[in-house]
Amino acid sequence: MKEFFGIGGFTREPNGAFSWQHITQVSFFVLLMVGLAIGIGIWMRKKEYKTKNRVIIISAISILSFEAVKIIVNCIHSDNLVKTLLWNLPLFLCSIQLIAIPVAAFCRGRLKEGALDFVMMFGILGALVGPIGAIQDYNAYPAFCFHNIVSAITHSISGFTSLYIIISGMASVKKKNAWISHAILGVFGVLAYIVNVICGLSYGGNIFDDSPNYMFLMADDGTPYTIVTAMVGGNKVLYPIVVMLLFVLYMAIFYGIYFLVRHLRAKKKALLDE
């Protein structure tokens, strides 16, 4: 258990990014996530909305519980509680689901619909890109350890919820609610950048010795955002702007494909009715 939680440091060497251990672990959680989403989604598809929503509630409680345990363990390991808490804020794109899923589960009206749309769009993206692209984690820790396992679980809950919303028929995706998803992204993006800047101003050991780099807005840190770094030639101003624009572009593409498919299905149904 000491080795699993890394108490006193790991005796095992990190397996490394894209090692067979990394790929096997990610593949297992992706298959589990997809299988559960399809099975439970189909089972719930004809249930009433209130019953369907119970699965979202379970997802919300589960992801918050695992995240709470992670923070507690990190605090136990830490010699600087303030830094640890600042480094565990839900300001990464994937961790925004810690807020979005509970909002989708417990709120009502357009706010609930907008949160469902956001979870549906970014949950599956984070579940696939997050663990696969977690180069820094698998280079720093053994694959089978608390840090990587909990990360895989929370990402998988986000992906499961995303797929479940689609398969169970809970998605509404209304054009009038598109601004809510954009607002969620915008607010968290601004907050992430502000926290990064504040912590970065302390760089050099005055308060902290590094920056959390939320949403990877300050640097790519070896993630697939290296493409953006190369694109802007390492420009510190253009880099975060392009990263946020890529999120907006992803949302535009998602909405475009969703509305196109819905239009084609409606057209096909109308032809069959004739």
Side-chain angles (χ1 to χ4, degrees), residues 215-230:
M215 292 183 77
F216 299 103
L217 291 177
M218 311 309 286
D220 57 68
D221 281 355
T223 65
Y225 289 119
T226 50
I227 298 172
V228 179
T229 302

Side-chain angles (χ1 to χ4, degrees), residues 222-243:
T223 65
Y225 289 119
T226 50
I227 298 172
V228 179
T229 302
M231 186 189 306
V232 301
N235 188 291
K236 297 296 183 181
V237 176
L238 290 177
Y239 173 80
I241 294 174
V242 173
V243 169

Side-chain angles (χ1 to χ4, degrees), residues 87-164:
W87 260 241
N88 283 277
L89 295 174
L91 293 176
F92 282 109
L93 182 63
C94 302
S95 54
I96 296 175
Q97 303 298 340
L98 292 165
I99 306 298
I101 294 177
V103 170
F106 297 107
C107 290
R108 297 182 179 181
R110 293 181 62 182
L111 182 59
K112 181 182 185 70
E113 292 175 349
L116 284 169
D117 291 350
F118 186 88
V119 173
M120 182 176 63
M121 282 188 286
F122 286 104
I124 188 62
L125 177 68
L128 295 176
V129 176
I132 294 173
I135 297 171
Q136 67 280 15
D137 290 337
Y138 285 92
N139 280 337
Y141 310 112
F144 187 74
C145 73
F146 174 79
H147 302 80
N148 287 327
I149 292 293
V150 169
S151 177
I153 290 173
T154 53
H155 281 82
S156 296
I157 292 172
S158 297
F160 162 81
T161 309
S162 172
L163 292 174
Y164 171 78

Side-chain angles (χ1 to χ4, degrees), residues 31 47 56 160 208 255 270:
L31 290 173
K47 304 285 186 180
I56 308 294
F160 162 81
F208 307 122
Y255 276 120

